[in-house]
Amino acid sequence: MELLGLDEIRDLLGGVSKQRATIIVGRKGFPDPLVTLKMGRVWDGKTVRAWITKNRPGPADED
């Protein structure tokens, strides 16, 4: 299982700012985090990649 934090999601979104990434992950329809730890939220990578491919095609398609 691939786990992602906000910084990894920023990279998948093409290096958007932390502020922009926070807005995106807070939108209705973005996958819910698996858990929230003291260091921040953690998402399932497969679910996030699928959302990005559907809603923001481009960077997530590149592995």
Side-chain angles (χ1 to χ4, degrees):
M1 171 184 274
E2 178 188 24
L3 300 176
L4 303 175
L6 188 61
D7 283 343
E8 290 81 16
I9 293 172
R10 286 178 59 209
D11 291 343
L12 291 175
L13 292 169
V16 299
S17 69
K18 189 170 188 172
Q19 181 181 15
R20 180 74 180 133
T22 300
I23 291 168
I24 292 169
V25 301
R27 285 184 176 167
K28 184 178 180 180
F30 193 85
D32 290 330
L34 296 173
V35 65
T36 300
L37 305 172
K38 285 184 180 183
M39 55 71 62
R41 296 171 285 181
V42 178
W43 288 265
D44 172 57
K46 184 176 179 181
T47 305
V48 170
R49 286 178 183 274
W51 183 91
I52 292 171
T53 298
K54 180 179 177 186
N55 295 280
R56 295 177 59 97
D61 298 331
E62 302 167 4
D63 283 328

